[in-house]
Amino acid sequence: MKKIFLKFIQGGSLGLLLFFLSLNHAQAQSFFTAKTLSSSPEYGTITTRLVPEEVVDLINKQNFSFDEWSSFFYIKTNPNAPAVLGKYSIKNNHLSFTPKFLPDPKINYFVTFSYPKLSELLSDAINEQNVYSDVASFEPPETTQPEVISFTPELDEVPANLLRFYVYFSAPMGLENPYDFITIEDKNGKPLVDPFVIIPEGLWNINHTRLTLLLHPGRVKQGVGPNMTQGDVLLAGNSYTLKIDKSWKGSSGEPLKADFSQTINASNPLRGAMNINIWALKAKISNGIGILTVITDHPLDQPLAQRMIFIRNKQGQVLPVQVTFDSPEQLKVLWRHQGSDELELLIDPRLEDVCGNTPHYAFDLEGTERTPSTEELKIKFRVN
């Protein structure tokens, strides 16, 4: 049987950069969408992002049983539990699962889609090795009409080479094209032309309440003739306004409560790798909870940091933590203290600052090797 290869194909250096972005920002989006509106007949449904049409055609020919479906696309109450019962469907190249019984809002559900497992069922007809996992919560929002409740990074001035914004909503947003409702204007009110990397369907978390907006790296041409160079979307020293139109509808069909605008002041670009060796750490214990305050050398990408920073005790156990931010350059890591005063802060080497720089490389410097490292990063500290 002929294999289907799922590739990113794009010409030129911009294609390579966008390919790198697509790999490096997997943590910023979910492969799934979860229906969390209790008033919807699809409450509890999990839907994948677009699946290639060739793969959908192969699946349609198989008439999979529940056991076959749930071998590659499943929802569980914990990783070792059996798959939740329900039915599968395909619409417009999206695969969906709807549970037989309404989900419990008190439970976090583990969701997985495995291309290798699907390939086994299709007799190795596809050559895709990605496995997508996420955690879904079905606690209904307090109101079905959405509004913008938060915008990050929360900085008085952002570096001109800022890579992304995050917009948080109070309720799930619909499947309309996000870029039809969002603009960035200069100080004269003139919209910037194509400031965002356009990602089909947008970069959403699983509940469709957090949108990631990627600014085009090196999109703007500066200079004239042979001296023309790539520049940043934002220019240092300039002021901009990001606007979101209230006609944008949420999953409930209701539009945003109000227009949203955010002033953006651009400062000098932030180029260069992070240096974790100069991070300042101070730990204390309060009512049995460990609190580690970390001051970093670069403003961190907050959603990534909340998934990529951990603590390990002297016995080698990685402890569950909660990461909160006082500012993009100061965070707190909380854990349940269990007596060990000698600990390590573990940092995923893919952690980025707000401009895409990691502890191993600078994101947008010419000649920089941008291959993600697997080297473990750690900083030892003691509880005072």
Side-chain angles (χ1 to χ4, degrees), residues 30-36 44-49 69-84 88 95-99 103 107-114 130-138 205-207 307:
S30 178
F31 182 72
F32 310 97
T33 298
K35 290 283 187 179
T36 58
T45 295
I46 297 288
T47 301
T48 69
R49 293 177 70 85
W69 269 106
S70 61
S71 69
F72 68 91
F73 179 20
Y74 54 82
I75 299 170
K76 299 182 177 183
T77 55
N78 68 67
N80 299 316
V84 171
Y88 292 89
L95 310 186
S96 294
F97 170 82
T98 302
I107 294 177
N108 286 328
Y109 292 83
F110 295 83
V111 188
T112 298
F113 184 97
S114 171
N130 283 338
V131 177
Y132 299 96
S133 297
D134 211 327
V135 178
S137 173
F138 293 94
N205 65 345
I206 192 168
N207 291 334
R307 301 176 67 168

Side-chain angles (χ1 to χ4, degrees), residues 145-267:
Q145 184 175 17
E147 63 180 323
V148 178
I149 57 174
S150 182
F151 182 89
T152 60
E154 297 181 47
L155 292 166
D156 293 334
E157 293 185 333
V158 301
N161 62 330
L162 183 80
L163 193 55
R164 59 198 153 228
F165 296 111
Y166 293 100
V167 185
Y168 295 80
F169 300 86
S170 61
M173 296 302 294
L175 299 178
E176 295 176 286
N177 182 2
Y179 311 102
D180 289 341
F181 303 92
I182 304 174
T183 58
I184 297 180
E185 298 179 355
D186 64 19
K187 62 183 180 181
N188 298 316
K190 182 180 179 180
L192 303 187
V193 178
D194 298 330
F196 304 116
V197 177
I198 302 300
I199 306 294
E201 304 174 81
L203 290 171
W204 291 99
N205 65 345
I206 192 168
N207 291 334
H208 256 231
T209 54
R210 187 194 71 213
L211 174 67
T212 305
L213 295 171
L214 288 175
L215 292 173
H216 243 300
R219 183 193 63 81
V220 178
K221 296 284 188 177
Q222 298 178 346
V224 179
N227 296 321
M228 183 176 287
T229 60
Q230 298 280 6
D232 301 307
V233 171
L234 308 178
L235 298 178
N238 287 9
S239 180
Y240 304 87
T241 303
L242 183 141
K243 293 184 176 181
I244 300 178
D245 193 284
K246 67 180 180 181
S247 64
W248 191 5
K249 294 179 180 178
S251 293
S252 64
E254 298 181 71
L256 287 171
K257 286 185 178 180
D259 291 327
F260 174 82
S261 64
Q262 175 72 36
T263 300
I264 301 165
N265 297 309
S267 60

Side-chain angles (χ1 to χ4, degrees), residues 35-67:
K35 290 283 187 179
T36 58
L37 294 175
S38 56
S39 59
S40 168
E42 295 183 331
Y43 175 66
T45 295
I46 297 288
T47 301
T48 69
R49 293 177 70 85
L50 282 171
V51 173
E53 186 172 355
E54 297 88 349
V55 176
V56 171
D57 289 342
L58 289 173
I59 294 174
N60 277 325
K61 294 176 182 178
Q62 302 304 310
N63 192 26
F64 285 144
S65 66
F66 173 82
D67 287 342

